[in-house]
């Protein structure tokens, strides 16, 4: 039996004797439920050990006429009758009820989850589900928070109170991904700080307060004009566009990233959430606030990048990927030719690790090993660092099949950690898919639920980049609400319902889609200059040879040299690696004289090896000094012959 106060149950209740972790079914979507518009805020509150003390402090400071509904989810002993409803009645004169299946949510009321049930919400109605007896960890808090996010979208509100373990963390991330608000108890004031600290570690909490101080902030947020009148921005006015332009300019100056071509309605809704959190009612006032308040531009930057992500999201889509696409990646694959996969917009890594697990599991069935390289990139450095660690809350057991949990994760305290054999398959790096050079020679690009945030013009740039990045007949995997749009000339539909496409190998990426230039200084882990070494080639043929070599084989930038190391032609913007500008050279210059610090010695060594061995030489992760920064690059030197 787990000891009292452990993750299995709150200190206020006896721990479960079964040791079984029920796995919830989804809230039924095929039942006939009238869709109703909930016009009042619904607040989900999660607590475990020490929760009764937090509930008392919260409700004794909460007026009974807030106009909000409160849904309480606490770890309860599944074998004992709950007295939580009776206890809460001591602290408030609001109506307090234990939830019955199909109960509609009403304002100025408190709804308490019964023991041994999962609870979800659909169209403002609460549904109870019997958990199945599968090994794992009970996650009723995260489960309810996630259904609340799906049902209420940007109007969802969650509060994480005292408790051990990691419950509430994934639910908070999901609610923030939908544009909602998250509040967390100050760990110092909590009897048990595990749940609050794990939720705070996401960096997504809007407020971190003692339980007794939460009601004031919650009421102010809920009564903010923007929250009270949702959906008022179908079109962005010219005045709002001017204010947005100023905000974009400030964010760009402080973070280096430009959001001006993202979908403005989506961006404006995220900005309005920040305004409500900071009790600002005018967009013009928020412009000044972003300008003057340290850290607000970064906070907005993080909010703009938050997306809903989890392991095996859209399970049926990943089932199709596993059954129909992954086997094809391994067909006729030699041991020395790695499978290359790019996951742009990887966030905290769940999607990349999901694909890694599917590839590893397929190899397990084949009883053989191939090299699989997954390049997972994102704008958010904090998310990338989380992904590299590979630590996730116990509530991922809701999403990850039990056999995969046992085989590819290890239990580390209250966390699941991705095992090293899976972590080693993925390289996580900072990259801006819009402005930085794309990868090349990819077998699969999985970019799910990123395009939905981009405006039409950005989509017209990004999709051709994916075409450029893929090998002939490579695969493109998009999110359930995304498509290739007008780019039927670049991609063929493989499975329309699951947003799986194949690259048309006889098409050429449109000029607007290619960004053949070096990465920004901040994106130090992404760079791939390709430097080709030829035999003697006549001057008129330089351009055709180097463009064919670089575009078809390597990547964004490169140079053509002769046997003496003299530069004959440079393709792309190589200023971060070499000194000269693009173009032909009347007087030949040595490439070694142009190479920046950190590149010269390895470049000289690679050229000598390529000449001697008459084979391609690769050097990875070279640190090259640039003006005001450092780049981590890969170098390729390859002898080529006259066509």
């Amino acid at each position: 039996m787990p000891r009292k106060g452990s993750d299995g149950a709150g200190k206020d209740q006896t721990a479960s004797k079964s040791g079984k972790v029920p796995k919830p079914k989804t809230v039924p979507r095929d039942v006939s439920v009238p869709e109703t518009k909930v016009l009042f805020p619904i607040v989900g509150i999660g607590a475990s050990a020490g929760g009764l003390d937090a509930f008392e402090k919260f409700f004794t400071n909460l007026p009974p006429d807030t106009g909000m509904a409160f849904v309480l989810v606490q770890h309860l002993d599944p074998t004992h009758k709950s007295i939580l409803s009776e206890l809460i009645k001591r602290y408030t004169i609001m109506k307090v009820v234990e939830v019955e299946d199909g109960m509609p949510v009403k304002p100025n009321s408190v709804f308490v989850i019964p023991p041994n049930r999962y609870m979800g919400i659909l169209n403002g109605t609460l549904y109870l589900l019997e958990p199945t007896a599968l090994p794992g960890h009970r996650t009723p808090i995260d489960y309810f928070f996630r259904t609340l996010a799906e049902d209420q979208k940007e109007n969802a509100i969650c509060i994480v109170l005292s408790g051990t373990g990691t419950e509430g963390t994934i639910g908070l991330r999901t609610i923030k991904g939908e544009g909602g608000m998250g509040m967390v108890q100050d760990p110092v004031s909590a009897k048990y700080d595990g749940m609050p600290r794990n939720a705070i570690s996401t960096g997504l909490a809007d407020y971190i307060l003692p339980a007794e101080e939460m009601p004031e902030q919650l009421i102010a947020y809920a009564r903010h004009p923007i929250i009270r009148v949702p959906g008022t921005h179908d079109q962005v006015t010219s005045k709002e566009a001017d204010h947005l332009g100023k905000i974009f300019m400030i964010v760009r100056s402080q973070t280096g990233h430009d959001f001006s071509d993202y979908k403005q309605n989506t961006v404006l809704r995220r900005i309005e959430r920040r305004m409500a959190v900071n009790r600002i009612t005018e967009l013009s006032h928020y412009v000044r606030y972003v300008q003057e308040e340290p850290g607000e531009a970064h906070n907005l930057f993080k909010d703009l990048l938050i997306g809903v992500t989890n392991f095996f999201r859209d399970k049926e889509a990943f089932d199709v990927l596993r059954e129909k696409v992954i086997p094809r990646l391994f067909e006729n694959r030699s041991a020395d030719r790695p499978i290359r996969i790019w996951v742009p917009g990887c966030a905290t890594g769940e999607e990349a690790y999901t694909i890694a697990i599917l590839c590893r599991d397929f190899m397990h069935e084949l009883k053989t090993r191939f090299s699989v390289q997954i390049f997972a990139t994102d704008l958010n450095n904090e998310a990338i660092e989380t992904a590299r660690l590979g630590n996730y809350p116990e509530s991922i057991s809701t999403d990850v099949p039990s056999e995969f949990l046992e085989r590819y994760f290890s239990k580390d305290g209250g966390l699941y950690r991705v095992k090293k054999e899976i972590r080693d398959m993925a390289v996580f790096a900072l990259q801006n898919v819009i402005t930085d050079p794309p990868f090349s020679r990819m077998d699969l690009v999985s970019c799910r639920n990123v395009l939905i945030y981009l405006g039409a013009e950005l989509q017209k740039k990004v999709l051709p980049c994916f075409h450029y990045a893929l090998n002939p007949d490579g695969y493109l995997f998009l999110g359930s609400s995304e498509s290739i749009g007008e780019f039927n000339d670049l991609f063929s539909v493989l499975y329309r319902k699951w947003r799986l496409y194949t690259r048309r190998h006889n098409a050429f990426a449109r000029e607007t889609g290619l960004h053949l230039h070096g990465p920004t200084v901040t994106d130090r882990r992404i760079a791939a200059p390709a430097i080709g070494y030829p035999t003697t080639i006549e001057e008129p043929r330089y351009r055709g040879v180097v463009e064919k070599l670089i575009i078809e084989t390597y990547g964004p930038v490169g140079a053509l040299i002769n046997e003496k190391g003299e530069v004959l032609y440079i393709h792309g913007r190589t200023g971060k690696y070499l000194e000269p500008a693009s173009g032909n050279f009347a007087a030949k210059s040595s490439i070694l004289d142009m190479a920046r610090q950190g590149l010269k010695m390895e470049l000289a060594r690679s050229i000598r090896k390529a000449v001697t061995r008459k084979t391609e030489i690769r050097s990875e992760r070279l640190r090259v000094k640039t003006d005001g920064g450092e780049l981590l690059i890969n170098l390729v030197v390859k002898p080529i012959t006259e066509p």
Side-chain angles (χ1 to χ4, degrees), residues 40-44 66-71 105-111:
F40 53 88
I42 299 175
V43 183
T66 63
M68 291 180 265
F70 301 88
V71 183
V105 177
K106 297 180 180 180
N108 299 320
S109 302
V110 181
F111 300 85

Side-chain angles (χ1 to χ4, degrees), residues 585-638:
F585 291 83
K588 302 297 186 291
S589 301
S590 170
I591 194 169
L592 298 179
D593 292 337
M594 302 176 190
R596 289 184 178 271
Q597 183 179 349
L599 176 61
K600 181 177 296 187
M601 291 183 61
E602 187 60 36
L603 178 59
R605 186 180 299 113
S606 296
I607 291 174
R608 287 197 302 270
K609 288 182 179 179
V611 171
T612 303
R613 301 177 185 177
K614 294 181 173 55
T615 187
E616 178 183 294
I617 303 297
R618 292 175 174 266
S619 302
E620 297 185 351
R621 301 175 68 82
L622 303 179
R623 296 186 179 276
V624 177
K625 300 292 184 181
T626 65
D627 298 329
E630 184 180 82
L631 289 169
L632 199 62
I633 73 168
N634 297 330
L635 170 68
V636 179
V637 177
K638 180 178 181 180

Side-chain angles (χ1 to χ4, degrees), residues 106-181:
K106 297 180 180 180
N108 299 320
S109 302
V110 181
F111 300 85
V112 180
I113 188 173
N116 199 29
R117 290 291 184 273
Y118 274 78
M119 181 169 62
I121 185 169
L122 175 66
N123 295 330
T125 298
L126 297 171
Y127 293 95
L128 300 177
L129 302 170
E130 291 188 11
T132 55
L134 293 175
H137 181 74
R138 296 185 69 239
T139 61
I141 297 171
D142 277 318
Y143 184 78
F144 179 74
F145 283 1
R146 287 165 69 165
T147 65
L148 180 64
E150 293 170 1
D151 197 57
Q152 298 297 303
K153 302 297 181 184
E154 61 222 35
N155 295 319
I157 299 173
C158 71
I159 298 177
V160 178
L161 296 176
S162 173
T164 59
T166 61
E167 266 259 73
T169 298
I170 287 181
L172 169 66
R173 184 179 295 279
T174 306
I175 281 178
K176 290 292 294 181
E178 295 288 0
M181 189 270 276

Side-chain angles (χ1 to χ4, degrees), residues 445-488:
V445 172
S446 178
C447 184
R448 310 191 74 239
N449 305 300
V450 173
L451 298 182
I452 55 176
Y453 298 103
L454 306 183
E457 291 306 311
L458 287 185
Q459 291 191 24
K460 290 179 182 178
K461 293 180 179 180
V462 170
L463 284 165
C465 281
F466 293 161
H467 177 272
Y468 169 82
L470 286 166
N471 284 325
D473 299 320
Y475 299 93
L476 175 64
F477 189 26
L478 300 180
S480 58
S481 300
E482 300 168 329
S483 72
I484 58 172
E486 64 184 59
F487 291 99
N488 293 312

Side-chain angles (χ1 to χ4, degrees), residues 259-270:
F259 290 90
S260 59
D261 285 330
Y262 281 53
K263 289 182 179 177
Q264 291 205 335
N265 284 338
T266 301
V267 171
L268 185 56
R269 286 196 295 271
R270 295 293 172 98

